[in-house]
Amino acid sequence: MAVVLIAGGGIGGLATALAVAGSGHHAVVLERADRFAEIGAGIQLAPNGLHALDALGVGDAVRATAVHMDELRFMDGVTGEHVTSLELTKGYRDRFASPYVVVHRAELHSVLLEACRSSGSISLVSGSAVDGYRTVDHRVSARLTDGRMMTGDALIGADGIRSAVRRRLLGDGEPRVSGITVYRAVIPMNEVPEDLRFERSVVWWAGPGCHLVHYPIAGGSHLNLAASSDDGTTEPVTSVPVGRDRVRHEFGALGRTALRLLELGRDWKTWTLVDRDPVGTWTDGRVALLGDAAHPMLHYAAQGACQAMEDAVTLGALLDGAGEASLPGLLAEYARVRRDRTARIQLAARDSIRLWHPAGAAARDRNTMLSALPQRALQDHVAWMHGFRVSGADRAGATL
Ligand SMILES: Cc1cc2nc3c(=O)[nH]c(=O)nc-3n(C[C@H](O)[C@H](O)[C@H](O)COP(=O)(O)OP(=O)(O)OC[C@H]3O[C@@H](n4cnc5c(N)ncnc54)[C@H](O)[C@@H]3O)c2cc1C
């Protein structure tokens, strides 16, 4: 039985701990914060994310707290025209063997955390910020910022987009600033007029150089609003409060209905979107990167957490019953299996802006093109992402 150190107790780190424990090893999760918790609002889980959760043994617990969506609805944010919807009802659920859901981020995290707490093969250690690592004699030691050293047979860096493990492994500097600012607000559903509720929809309002997305969270009691402005910002800010006037000004090009939604928001906060280019190197002997530490992506494909969980399941399947000596080779195999798929999603998430942000004639052409697509074609478009079932059997998974 190997001891696998995991830097980071977010969604990726906890999923990895469950996968490692399930494959017969002991996982030690080192979390920087004083307690294991997740902040933020809603998170969408496509079938591929739910299949990964099933493989980790917690799919049903997550489904029980989730709101099941009926459509991904695409609106022209200027004219208010309903351009198209990818239906998420029977045809989609049958094809991808799962619903598409939204959950509160804290709910997903707490399901994973409870499962970790009830495992005898997982140690959860908070207040432990990893600062680097070194490999000595077939073992790896994580160095903590307070000087402690934790030693195991492998180290997984699941410590997010500004990963300390990645800094030591790749040294590729700060994330790329995308030039896009996101504005976020959460509104009690009972304050949203009936005609704007869309209680079972993820709705996009596409505008010139901007868009607004919303969906219900917390069992449908609140509406999560996230509006993106392609404002060319170069400052990587996080969670900065802004007033309604700034929101009105940034999204003034949107039409009346989208603006009515934005007017409902209070306590707006902004942050700058950052990501990184895909890289070929995720491993260094007994050390590997996972989740946002390996492949941070813009949230536009709603896949970052789903990919972190797929990573975890793949890694667990490879480590199943493995001896300590084989770990470097198995980590290299994990990276080989996961690299292309996650790189494609990183690039697709960036590329989605080209569909959402055009103006004038280009926006009209987009609407014509999208509205002509039948359901099957819309499903085909997302099948490679949503329809992927990560599998322990063939170590890669299959598209449904
Ligand atoms: C606005 C927004 C919306 C999103 N929506 C979706 C969505 O709908 N669907 C989806 O699948 N994904 C979505 N994502 C992406 C998703 O949130 C991330 O991809 C996912 O949380 C990554 O998980 P992670 O565990 O790899 O990293 P993180 O969530 O960043 O967790 C890293 C953990 O490591 C800890 N840590 C950091 N540094 C250290 C250190 N040095 N030592 C020890 N611990 C450390 C942190 O405290 C944290 O607990 C969204 C992201 C954003 C920003």
Side-chain angles (χ1 to χ4, degrees):
M1 183 187 71
V3 173
V4 178
L5 306 174
I6 299 165
I11 292 165
L14 296 185
T16 304
L18 290 176
V20 163
S23 64
H25 303 289
H26 190 87
V28 181
V29 186
L30 304 167
E31 166 57 43
R32 174 178 63 183
D34 289 337
R35 62 188 198 91
F36 283 80
E38 181 68 62
I39 48 167
I43 195 159
Q44 302 170 53
L45 296 176
N48 62 308
L50 288 165
H51 290 315
L53 287 163
D54 283 334
L56 297 170
V58 293
D60 286 342
V62 173
R63 278 188 199 86
T65 67
V67 184
H68 294 220
M69 293 291 101
D70 284 345
E71 60 172 349
L72 301 181
R73 186 182 182 93
F74 192 92
M75 309 290 289
D76 184 313
V78 177
T79 64
E81 171 193 356
H82 176 198
V83 178
T84 190
S85 286
L86 169 58
E87 291 163 15
L88 303 173
T89 45
K90 189 168 182 325
Y92 176 96
R93 291 175 192 177
D94 285 351
R95 177 170 177 184
F96 300 132
S98 171
Y100 186 108
V101 304
V102 294
V103 288
H104 198 285
R105 196 176 275 271
E107 285 168 353
L108 171 60
H109 189 265
S110 82
V111 167
L112 292 167
L113 187 59
E114 281 317 306
C116 286
R117 284 192 172 131
S118 38
S119 164
S121 302
I122 298 175
S123 306
L124 297 166
V125 191
S126 55
S128 301
V130 174
D131 191 29
Y133 64 84
R134 68 164 194 251
T135 309
V136 184
D137 295 337
H138 310 296
R139 301 273 281 163
V140 58
S141 294
R143 189 183 59 242
L144 307 189
T145 49
D146 59 12
R148 277 179 294 156
M149 300 292 277
M150 307 289 284
T151 300
D153 300 297
L155 168 65
I156 308 301
D159 48 347
I161 190 165
R162 292 191 168 76
S163 163
V165 178
R166 181 177 177 127
R167 192 168 60 234
R168 163 78 170 75
L169 196 152
L170 279 177
D172 61 347
E174 288 299 303
R176 181 192 75 108
V177 177
S178 69
I180 298 172
T181 303
V182 176
Y183 296 72
R184 213 196 102 224
V186 175
I187 309 164
M189 196 62 94
N190 59 17
E191 293 179 13
V192 181
E194 293 256 339
D195 64 315
L196 298 180
R197 285 192 180 174
F198 301 103
E199 282 171 283
R200 299 226 165 242
S201 310
V202 180
V203 187
W204 276 258
W205 301 83
C210 66
H211 73 276
L212 162 67
V213 177
H214 57 84
Y215 49 85
I217 54 166
S221 65
H222 288 73
L223 195 67
N224 186 64
L225 285 185
S228 293
S229 169
D230 208 342
D231 58 8
T233 181
T234 54
E235 288 298 311
V237 303
T238 316
S239 212
V240 177
V242 288
R244 277 173 161 176
D245 287 349
R246 164 102 177 264
V247 178
R248 273 187 209 117
H249 176 259
E250 282 300 318
F251 298 94
L254 291 177
R256 191 174 152 271
T257 316
L259 289 178
R260 274 175 68 211
L261 276 158
L262 288 171
E263 283 296 328
L264 297 170
R266 284 182 244 116
D267 302 328
W268 287 96
K269 294 213 170 54
T270 68
W271 74 94
T272 309
L273 285 190
V274 294
D275 69 357
R276 293 184 188 273
D277 291 329
V279 287
T281 304
W282 289 12
T283 60
D284 171 18
R286 294 176 173 274
V287 183
L289 303 175
L290 181 143
D292 276 8
H295 44 70
M297 54 186 71
L298 301 185
H299 66 284
Y300 293 146
Q303 278 287 323
C306 295
Q307 291 310 304
M309 297 184 299
E310 283 188 10
D311 289 348
V313 174
T314 303
L315 182 63
L318 283 162
L319 297 188
D320 196 11
E324 286 83 350
S326 61
L327 291 177
L330 292 172
L331 294 185
E333 173 68 359
Y334 146 77
R336 191 193 64 72
V337 168
R338 294 295 301 156
R339 231 168 10 218
D340 290 354
R341 173 167 170 77
T342 53
R344 189 175 169 201
I345 297 176
Q346 281 176 286
L347 299 178
R350 279 185 193 171
D351 204 42
S352 58
I353 295 298
R354 288 198 302 129
L355 193 66
W356 299 344
H357 288 190
R364 286 193 292 280
D365 289 349
R366 172 206 59 206
N367 294 353
T368 307
M369 182 274 290
L370 283 179
S371 58
L373 293 175
Q375 278 306 306
R376 184 73 192 184
L378 290 170
Q379 280 180 12
D380 288 347
H381 186 68
V382 297
W384 67 279
M385 276 191 290
H386 297 188
F388 186 81
R389 190 194 285 266
V390 69
S391 151
D394 64 6
R395 295 178 172 179
T399 300
L400 299 166

Coordinates of all heavy atoms in Angstrom, one line a residue, residues 7-13 30-33 37-38 42-45 105 128-130 158-161 164 215 271 290-293 299 302-306 308, ligand 1:
A7 N -1.7 17.7 -2.4 CA -1.7 19.1 -2.0 C -3.0 19.7 -2.5 O -3.3 19.7 -3.7 CB -0.5 19.8 -2.7
G8 N -3.8 20.2 -1.6 CA -5.1 20.8 -2.0 C -6.3 20.0 -1.7 O -6.4 18.8 -2.1
G9 N -7.2 20.5 -0.9 CA -8.4 19.8 -0.6 C -9.7 20.5 -1.2 O -10.7 20.6 -0.5
G10 N -9.5 20.9 -2.4 CA -10.7 21.4 -3.2 C -11.4 20.2 -3.8 O -11.2 19.0 -3.4
I11 N -12.2 20.4 -4.8 CA -13.0 19.4 -5.4 C -12.1 18.3 -6.0 O -12.2 17.1 -5.9 CB -14.0 20.0 -6.5 CG1 -15.0 20.8 -5.8 CG2 -14.6 18.9 -7.4 CD1 -15.8 21.7 -6.8
G12 N -11.0 18.8 -6.7 CA -10.0 17.9 -7.3 C -9.3 17.1 -6.3 O -9.1 15.8 -6.5
G13 N -8.8 17.7 -5.2 CA -8.0 17.0 -4.2 C -8.8 16.0 -3.5 O -8.4 14.8 -3.2
L30 N -3.3 17.5 2.1 CA -2.7 18.7 2.8 C -3.4 20.0 2.2 O -3.2 20.3 1.1 CB -1.2 18.7 2.5 CG -0.5 17.5 2.8 CD1 0.9 17.5 2.2 CD2 -0.4 17.3 4.3
E31 N -4.2 20.6 3.1 CA -5.0 21.8 2.6 C -4.4 23.0 3.3 O -4.2 23.0 4.5 CB -6.5 21.6 3.0 CG -7.3 22.8 2.9 CD -7.3 23.5 1.5 OE1 -7.4 22.9 0.5 OE2 -7.2 24.8 1.5
R32 N -4.2 24.1 2.5 CA -3.7 25.3 3.0 C -4.6 26.0 4.1 O -4.1 26.5 5.1 CB -3.4 26.2 1.8 CG -3.0 27.6 2.1 CD -2.7 28.4 0.9 NE -4.0 28.6 0.1 CZ -4.0 29.1 -1.1 NH1 -2.9 29.6 -1.7 NH2 -5.1 29.3 -1.8
A33 N -5.9 26.0 3.8 CA -6.8 26.7 4.6 C -6.9 26.0 6.0 O -6.6 24.9 6.2 CB -8.2 26.8 4.0
A37 N -13.2 23.6 3.2 CA -14.5 24.3 2.8 C -14.4 24.8 1.4 O -13.3 24.9 0.8 CB -14.8 25.4 3.7
E38 N -15.5 25.1 0.8 CA -15.5 25.6 -0.6 C -16.4 26.8 -0.6 O -17.5 26.9 -0.1 CB -16.1 24.5 -1.5 CG -16.2 24.8 -3.0 CD -14.8 24.9 -3.7 OE1 -14.1 23.9 -3.7 OE2 -14.6 25.9 -4.3
G42 N -22.8 28.6 -7.7 CA -23.3 27.4 -8.4 C -22.2 26.7 -9.3 O -21.2 27.4 -9.7
I43 N -22.4 25.5 -9.6 CA -21.5 24.8 -10.5 C -22.4 23.8 -11.3 O -23.3 23.2 -10.8 CB -20.4 24.0 -9.7 CG1 -19.3 23.6 -10.6 CG2 -20.9 22.9 -8.9 CD1 -18.0 23.4 -9.8
Q44 N -22.2 23.8 -12.6 CA -22.9 22.9 -13.5 C -22.2 21.6 -13.6 O -20.9 21.6 -13.7 CB -23.0 23.5 -14.9 CG -23.7 24.9 -14.9 CD -23.6 25.6 -16.3 OE1 -23.9 25.0 -17.3 NE2 -23.1 26.8 -16.3
L45 N -22.9 20.5 -13.6 CA -22.3 19.2 -13.8 C -22.9 18.5 -15.0 O -24.1 18.1 -14.9 CB -22.4 18.3 -12.5 CG -21.7 18.9 -11.3 CD1 -22.0 18.0 -10.1 CD2 -20.2 19.0 -11.5
R105 N -21.7 24.8 -5.0 CA -20.3 24.3 -4.9 C -20.0 23.8 -3.5 O -19.4 22.7 -3.4 CB -19.4 25.6 -5.2 CG -18.0 25.3 -5.4 CD -17.4 26.7 -5.7 NE -17.6 27.1 -7.1 CZ -16.7 26.7 -8.1 NH1 -15.7 26.0 -7.8 NH2 -16.9 27.1 -9.3
S128 N -2.1 23.4 6.3 CA -0.8 22.8 5.8 C -0.6 23.3 4.3 O -1.0 22.6 3.4 CB -0.9 21.3 5.8 OG -1.1 20.9 7.1
A129 N 0.0 24.4 4.2 CA 0.3 24.9 2.8 C 1.6 24.3 2.3 O 2.7 24.5 2.9 CB 0.4 26.5 2.9
V130 N 1.5 23.7 1.1 CA 2.7 23.1 0.5 C 3.4 24.2 -0.2 O 2.8 25.1 -0.9 CB 2.2 22.0 -0.5 CG1 3.4 21.5 -1.3 CG2 1.5 20.9 0.3
A158 N -2.9 19.1 -6.4 CA -4.3 19.5 -6.8 C -4.6 20.8 -6.1 O -5.6 21.1 -5.5 CB -5.2 18.4 -6.3
D159 N -3.6 21.7 -6.2 CA -3.6 23.0 -5.4 C -4.0 24.2 -6.3 O -3.5 25.3 -6.0 CB -2.3 23.2 -4.6 CG -1.1 23.0 -5.4 OD1 -1.1 22.4 -6.5 OD2 0.0 23.4 -4.9
G160 N -4.8 23.9 -7.3 CA -5.4 25.0 -8.0 C -4.5 25.8 -9.0 O -3.4 25.4 -9.3
I161 N -5.1 26.8 -9.5 CA -4.5 27.5 -10.7 C -3.1 28.2 -10.3 O -2.3 28.3 -11.2 CB -5.5 28.6 -11.3 CG1 -4.9 29.1 -12.6 CG2 -5.8 29.7 -10.3 CD1 -5.9 29.9 -13.4
A164 N 1.5 25.6 -6.0 CA 2.9 25.6 -5.6 C 3.6 24.4 -6.1 O 4.8 24.5 -6.4 CB 3.0 25.6 -4.1
Y215 N -28.5 30.7 -13.8 CA -29.2 29.4 -13.6 C -29.5 29.4 -12.1 O -28.9 30.1 -11.3 CB -28.3 28.2 -14.0 CG -26.9 28.3 -13.5 CD1 -26.5 27.8 -12.2 CD2 -25.8 28.7 -14.3 CE1 -25.2 27.8 -11.8 CE2 -24.5 28.7 -13.9 CZ -24.2 28.3 -12.6 OH -22.9 28.2 -12.2
W271 N -14.4 39.8 -10.9 CA -13.0 39.3 -10.9 C -12.6 39.1 -12.4 O -13.4 39.1 -13.3 CB -12.9 38.0 -10.1 CG -13.5 36.7 -10.7 CD1 -12.8 35.8 -11.5 CD2 -14.8 36.3 -10.6 NE1 -13.7 34.8 -11.9 CE2 -14.9 35.1 -11.4 CE3 -16.0 36.8 -10.0 CZ2 -16.1 34.4 -11.5 CZ3 -17.1 36.1 -10.1 CH2 -17.2 34.9 -10.8
L290 N -2.9 17.8 -11.1 CA -4.3 17.3 -11.4 C -5.2 18.5 -11.2 O -5.0 19.5 -10.5 CB -4.6 16.3 -10.3 CG -6.0 15.6 -10.4 CD1 -5.9 14.1 -10.0 CD2 -7.0 16.3 -9.4
G291 N -6.3 18.5 -12.0 CA -7.3 19.6 -11.9 C -6.8 20.9 -12.4 O -6.0 20.9 -13.3
D292 N -7.2 22.0 -11.7 CA -6.8 23.3 -12.2 C -5.3 23.5 -12.1 O -4.7 24.3 -12.8 CB -7.4 24.4 -11.3 CG -8.8 24.8 -11.8 OD1 -9.3 24.0 -12.7 OD2 -9.4 25.7 -11.3
A293 N -4.6 22.8 -11.3 CA -3.1 22.9 -11.3 C -2.5 22.4 -12.6 O -1.5 22.9 -13.0 CB -2.6 22.0 -10.1
H299 N -14.1 29.3 -17.3 CA -15.3 28.5 -16.9 C -16.3 28.4 -18.0 O -17.4 27.8 -17.7 CB -15.8 29.1 -15.6 CG -16.5 30.4 -15.8 ND1 -15.7 31.6 -15.9 CD2 -17.8 30.8 -15.8 CE1 -16.5 32.6 -16.0 NE2 -17.8 32.2 -16.0
A302 N -17.9 25.1 -18.6 CA -18.5 24.6 -17.4 C -17.9 23.2 -17.1 O -18.7 22.2 -16.9 CB -20.0 24.6 -17.4
Q303 N -16.6 23.0 -17.3 CA -16.0 21.7 -17.2 C -14.8 21.5 -16.3 O -14.3 20.4 -16.1 CB -15.5 21.3 -18.7 CG -16.6 20.7 -19.5 CD -17.1 19.3 -19.1 OE1 -16.2 18.5 -18.7 NE2 -18.3 19.0 -19.2
G304 N -14.4 22.6 -15.6 CA -13.1 22.5 -14.8 C -13.2 21.5 -13.7 O -12.3 20.7 -13.6
A305 N -14.3 21.5 -13.0 CA -14.5 20.6 -11.9 C -14.7 19.2 -12.5 O -14.2 18.2 -11.9 CB -15.6 21.0 -11.0
C306 N -15.5 19.1 -13.5 CA -15.8 17.8 -14.2 C -14.5 17.2 -14.6 O -14.3 15.9 -14.4 CB -16.7 18.0 -15.4 SG -18.4 18.5 -14.9
A308 N -11.4 17.8 -13.4 CA -10.7 17.4 -12.2 C -11.1 16.0 -11.7 O -10.3 15.2 -11.3 CB -10.8 18.5 -11.1
Ligands
LIG1 C1 -16.9 31.4 -12.0 C2 -16.5 29.9 -12.2 C3 -17.5 29.0 -12.6 C4 -17.2 27.7 -12.8 N1 -18.2 26.9 -13.2 C5 -17.9 25.6 -13.3 C6 -19.0 24.7 -13.7 O1 -20.1 25.1 -13.9 N2 -18.7 23.3 -13.9 C7 -17.4 22.9 -13.7 O2 -17.2 21.7 -13.9 N3 -16.4 23.7 -13.3 C8 -16.6 25.0 -13.1 N4 -15.6 25.9 -12.8 C9 -14.3 25.4 -12.6 C10 -14.1 24.7 -11.2 O3 -14.5 25.6 -10.2 C11 -12.6 24.4 -11.0 O4 -12.1 23.8 -12.2 C12 -12.4 23.4 -9.9 O5 -12.9 24.0 -8.7 C13 -10.9 23.0 -9.8 O6 -10.8 22.3 -8.6 P1 -9.3 22.0 -8.0 O7 -9.5 21.2 -6.8 O8 -8.4 21.6 -9.1 O9 -8.8 23.5 -7.7 P2 -9.3 24.5 -6.6 O10 -10.8 24.5 -6.5 O11 -8.6 25.8 -6.8 O12 -8.8 23.9 -5.2 C14 -7.5 24.0 -4.8 C15 -7.4 23.7 -3.3 O13 -6.0 23.7 -2.9 C16 -5.8 24.6 -1.8 N5 -4.5 25.1 -2.0 C17 -4.0 26.1 -2.8 N6 -2.7 26.2 -2.7 C18 -2.3 25.3 -1.8 C19 -1.1 25.0 -1.3 N7 0.1 25.6 -1.6 N8 -1.0 23.9 -0.4 C20 -2.1 23.3 0.0 N9 -3.3 23.6 -0.4 C21 -3.4 24.6 -1.3 C22 -6.9 25.6 -1.9 O14 -7.2 26.2 -0.7 C23 -8.1 24.8 -2.4 O15 -8.8 24.2 -1.4 C24 -15.9 27.2 -12.6 C25 -14.9 28.1 -12.2 C26 -15.2 29.4 -12.0 C27 -14.1 30.4 -11.6

